[in-house]
Amino acid sequence: MRETDSQTHDTYRAIAALLGSDWARQDAPEHRLRLHGICPAFDSPHKLTVAAASAIGAYALSVERWHHMATGVRQTVAIDWMQAACSLNPGHFQTQSGFALPALSLLTELKADFYQTADERWFFPIGSYPHLRDGVLELLDCANTTAALAKAISRWKGDDLEEAFAERKLPGIYARSQDEWLSHPQGKRLAKLPAVEVIKVDDSEPEPAQANVRPLDRLRVLDLGHVIAGPVVARSLAEHGAEVLRITSPAMQDPFRQTVDTNIGKRSAFLDFDTQQGLQTVRDLISGADVVVQSWRPCSMSKRGLGPQDAASIRPGIIYVSVSAFGDEGPWGKRGGFEQLGQAVSGVSVREGGQGKPRVVPPYLLNDYLTGYLGATGVMQALIRRAQDGGSYHVKVSLARTSMWVQELGLLSGFDPMHPRGDFAKALNPVLETRASAYGILQQLPPVAQFSRTRAQWSLPPAPNGAHAAAWQ
């Protein structure tokens, strides 16, 4: 079997597993989805491109089924391997007025990396916002330099440092092997759950699938997420015509490069959740929504009366998406975290590093975009269940569970962890689309999955945070 044929087979199998055996028996992925081009190879033992094509393909086929339920029209879906590979870190290919946007701010970011502890663990601290950076530096009592962080962390034992970070609500963990994580109480718990969890939380009347011109143009999506994974769930729904309104705190805005990428296809408004007026406005918006997406620390929204049960009371039939770092139950159920912690804790980084220092995957990002695509798949599965049986649903995905799912896809042979890595994108040449925006002319990766009848596209350029009113059109 040729390599591309093997990866195609792996992708169809992964999609069928995500969508369920009943789905596969009715409509096997290979009947509707065509994978074409050459599958790019990353310097990694993990099936990264297969993972991207599988997550995007599962979402796309779910949209196709929804559109068929609404209109009776069938479509086929095509995914180019190159575009799928680039979707793991699309911001890398993004340009503004012809210039690439930097990934990090050297003025605000902590010097995140794997640092060895006193008991020879490899600890990864994250300080991607000023308050987190300052909290880490205060705890470690050191300067924000690689040498100072290495020296400070070398004084701590791994478990003690993890607990100190957790007590201060700072993101940081030490790298574990896959076996270590699967024997950890939180890892054991996640291993029993699917990569995409869809739970019925309340009853409501069925709401039949509807569409006007585009598959999702009768849906309203309230995006309360931040950073990447949550907003990517909502951005994916916007690909097919959903009206998406993103709500951002004026005091807690995402970095510029992420905003330009994840605000595509949306309107954007400011609200302050620490005021009664802001909370009431959010509740009013939920009452008019079909989908709510949030990616804050577990329990954060529930404390404000905006959890999944609250949303179901406000709007029976709501689809509520929660994106977490390690799941929202279990001993780590209240911990927050970011992309690289999912790789580190689950075994991905240890395997990427071989017997030496752990490494993140070549694109640097893995869980953020994959979790967004998986969350969008869960939204469509919940909408289909709502159309057939009624009910409000809670869709749960997590960064750590996504990394576990990637490992469950199997490993590639011939990987040499001692081989020095260069620029991951050097061999990648994606097709980009150009759009005018408030930020000037942008070049960005278009939607990866393309439909035979209803083109996947974003109708709106990325909006600056707070550019619109907090109201539905």
Side-chain angles (χ1 to χ4, degrees):
M1 182 183 291
R2 291 186 299 119
E3 185 66 25
T4 300
D5 292 338
S6 174
Q7 289 159 333
T8 299
H9 174 75
D10 289 344
T11 300
Y12 287 148
R13 184 174 59 184
I15 292 172
L18 286 171
L19 298 182
S21 57
D22 290 342
W23 180 295
R25 278 195 294 268
Q26 296 175 40
D27 200 358
E30 53 265 35
H31 294 164
R32 295 279 156 207
L33 174 64
R34 180 175 66 91
L35 297 154
H36 61 97
I38 303 298
C39 186
F42 288 99
D43 182 17
S44 169
H46 298 101
K47 297 179 181 179
L48 303 181
T49 305
V50 167
S54 301
I56 294 171
Y59 167 61
L61 292 178
S62 301
V63 171
E64 193 281 330
R65 174 167 285 197
W66 171 268
H67 186 247
H68 176 242
M69 290 171 60
T71 65
V73 175
R74 298 307 308 246
Q75 300 193 64
T76 55
V77 180
I79 291 179
D80 185 312
W81 284 113
M82 177 65 72
Q83 301 297 106
C86 296
S87 74
L88 291 170
N89 190 350
H92 182 87
F93 307 96
Q94 182 173 251
T95 67
Q96 179 189 19
S97 301
F99 294 91
L101 299 179
L104 303 174
S105 170
L106 298 178
L107 298 176
T108 61
E109 293 273 352
L110 186 79
K111 300 298 185 292
D113 196 357
F114 289 99
Y115 299 97
Q116 199 163 35
T117 62
D119 53 352
E120 299 185 339
R121 290 292 192 173
W122 289 97
F123 194 87
F124 198 100
I126 291 181
S128 48
Y129 291 88
H131 72 288
L132 297 177
R133 175 205 62 203
D134 293 347
V136 171
L137 297 177
E138 181 180 357
L139 169 63
L140 296 175
D141 192 21
C142 72
N144 188 18
T145 66
T146 299
L149 285 163
K151 184 176 181 180
I153 289 174
S154 71
R155 302 189 185 106
W156 289 78
K157 290 185 176 181
D159 287 319
D160 294 340
L161 189 54
E162 244 181 22
E163 288 304 313
F165 267 63
E167 287 175 6
R168 293 162 176 79
K169 295 186 177 180
L170 298 171
I173 53 93
Y174 63 78
R176 290 164 170 82
S177 69
Q178 184 179 21
D179 287 343
E180 284 180 312
W181 178 238
L182 291 176
S183 66
H184 186 279
Q186 195 68 24
K188 284 182 180 178
R189 180 177 184 83
L190 286 179
K192 296 176 182 178
L193 301 175
V196 183
E197 197 175 4
V198 181
I199 304 168
K200 186 177 181 180
V201 295
D202 211 343
D203 295 321
S204 69
E205 292 298 314
E207 299 182 37
Q210 298 182 64
N212 289 328
V213 178
R214 304 179 64 193
L216 305 184
D217 60 10
R218 295 291 296 272
L219 295 180
R220 283 176 170 171
V221 180
L222 186 62
D223 180 2
L224 305 180
H226 75 131
V227 196
I228 295 178
V232 168
V233 175
R235 191 191 70 175
S236 299
L237 301 172
E239 290 179 13
H240 298 284
E243 179 189 349
V244 180
L245 177 63
R246 184 171 184 186
I247 301 298
T248 301
S249 166
M252 192 71 172
Q253 299 185 45
D254 289 338
F256 178 72
R257 173 168 141 166
Q258 294 174 10
T259 297
V260 173
D261 176 48
T262 62
N263 270 9
I264 311 174
K266 309 173 185 179
R267 292 181 301 117
S268 176
F270 281 147
L271 282 178
D272 184 353
F273 287 7
D274 292 328
T275 67
Q276 285 302 313
Q277 181 180 358
L279 287 176
Q280 185 56 52
T281 301
V282 173
R283 294 189 182 99
D284 292 342
L285 290 170
I286 291 174
S287 70
D290 294 282
V291 180
V292 174
V293 183
Q294 69 87 17
S295 55
W296 294 90
R297 181 184 291 268
C299 300
S300 176
M301 286 296 176
S302 295
K303 289 178 181 178
R304 291 174 164 82
L306 301 174
Q309 292 288 353
D310 304 305
S313 298
I314 296 169
R315 198 292 195 196
I318 197 73
I319 312 300
Y320 189 101
V321 185
S322 293
V323 180
S324 63
F326 310 105
D328 62 357
E329 296 180 344
W332 285 19
K334 293 184 179 180
R335 293 193 183 188
F338 292 88
E339 151 73 53
Q340 292 76 26
L341 301 190
Q343 296 184 47
V345 78
S346 65
V348 167
S349 295
V350 167
R351 186 169 279 118
E352 289 283 337
Q355 298 300 313
K357 179 180 177 180
R359 300 191 296 186
V360 295
V361 294
Y364 195 71
L365 303 181
L366 175 69
N367 303 304
D368 271 338
Y369 286 90
L370 285 183
T371 304
Y373 306 141
L374 292 172
T377 301
V379 169
M380 296 313 304
Q381 296 300 295
L383 285 169
I384 290 169
R385 286 177 61 179
R386 186 183 77 175
Q388 295 170 335
D389 305 320
S392 298
Y393 294 87
H394 189 190
V395 177
K396 298 200 280 187
V397 288
S398 75
L399 304 178
R401 186 63 185 88
T402 294
S403 271
M404 295 167 70
W405 172 72
V406 171
Q407 294 174 93
E408 290 163 6
L409 298 177
L411 300 173
L412 299 169
S413 60
F415 170 68
D416 180 6
M418 302 307 294
H419 185 272
R421 283 182 178 169
D423 182 356
F424 86 93
K426 191 173 182 179
L428 300 180
N429 185 31
V431 174
L432 302 177
E433 62 183 9
T434 302
R435 58 172 54 86
S437 76
Y439 302 110
I441 301 299
L442 301 175
Q443 278 197 310
Q444 296 171 301
L445 193 76
V448 173
Q450 285 299 327
F451 284 48
S452 59
R453 291 179 178 268
T454 58
R455 182 187 173 202
Q457 61 181 334
W458 291 294
S459 301
L460 297 172
N465 291 332
H468 301 95
W472 296 114
Q473 288 182 311

